[in-house]
Amino acid sequence: MAFKFTILFAACIAVASAGVVPVATPLAAVAQVEEYDPHPQYTYGYDVKDALSGDSKTQVETRDGDIVQGQYSLNDADGYRRIVDYTADPINGFNAVVRREPLVAAVAAAPAVVAAPAPIVRAAPLAAAAPLAYAAAPAPIVAAAPAPIVKAAPLVAAGPAIVKTQFASPLISYAY
């Protein structure tokens, strides 16, 4: 068995040295160097207002070096708009201030104004109308006689009921 392995190994070495199998290039030559920005800067934002679903949210964020500032807002289910202002920097870390504002501005109640009472106007008397005529006389109401009360025969007590139950198994037999 060791002889077969030695022959196979020698054949692989011979094929590789003959140039039939391509040799892999070193990985260090293929790797690319990424660019590093020592002072990154960006600004982005979005605004969503969907009248069909009622979804409304916004966000704005800016970065200048290691300092990030932003704000986002959304409508909560309880009728308030949540507004979050945040900052992040290497000295103070991440800090956020949350505010809540009602979606519908409160309407101040106007003072009650009492108007002068309106004058009473009397209408002219109604003219006498002709009496109403019926097309047919109503059917007379006939009182029905009450139904007779029928008494049933008394129940007869029959003695105690005897029920026999039998349970059998290959090991135990019961009779009740």
Side-chain angles (χ1 to χ4, degrees), residues 69-143:
Q69 295 178 339
Q71 179 187 61
Y72 68 89
S73 64
L74 57 104
N75 292 347
D76 283 331
D78 61 355
Y80 283 84
R81 183 160 189 82
R82 184 183 338 156
I83 302 168
V84 180
D85 295 304
Y86 61 91
T87 59
D89 59 45
I91 297 170
N92 300 314
F94 180 83
N95 292 301
V97 177
V98 180
R99 295 179 288 139
R100 295 188 61 188
E101 297 175 356
L103 289 174
V104 178
V107 178
V113 177
V114 179
I120 299 173
V121 178
R122 300 202 184 265
L126 295 174
L132 296 175
Y134 293 100
I141 298 175
V142 178

Side-chain angles (χ1 to χ4, degrees), residues 8-156:
L8 180 63
F9 183 70
C12 289
I13 295 294
V15 169
S17 62
V20 176
V21 177
V23 179
T25 58
L27 293 177
V30 176
Q32 296 178 355
V33 178
E34 293 183 24
E35 292 184 27
Y36 174 73
D37 186 3
H39 192 80
Q41 295 177 333
Y42 66 83
T43 299
Y44 82 94
Y46 65 85
D47 188 18
V48 175
K49 294 202 184 318
D50 186 5
L52 183 63
S53 68
D55 189 17
S56 176
K57 53 191 163 193
T58 62
Q59 182 172 2
V60 177
E61 184 174 290
T62 60
R63 179 176 181 174
D64 187 17
D66 291 336
I67 300 171
V68 178
Q69 295 178 339
Q71 179 187 61
Y72 68 89
S73 64
L74 57 104
N75 292 347
D76 283 331
D78 61 355
Y80 283 84
R81 183 160 189 82
R82 184 183 338 156
I83 302 168
V84 180
D85 295 304
Y86 61 91
T87 59
D89 59 45
I91 297 170
N92 300 314
F94 180 83
N95 292 301
V97 177
V98 180
R99 295 179 288 139
R100 295 188 61 188
E101 297 175 356
L103 289 174
V104 178
V107 178
V113 177
V114 179
I120 299 173
V121 178
R122 300 202 184 265
L126 295 174
L132 296 175
Y134 293 100
I141 298 175
V142 178
I149 298 175
V150 178
K151 292 185 178 181
L155 294 176
V156 177

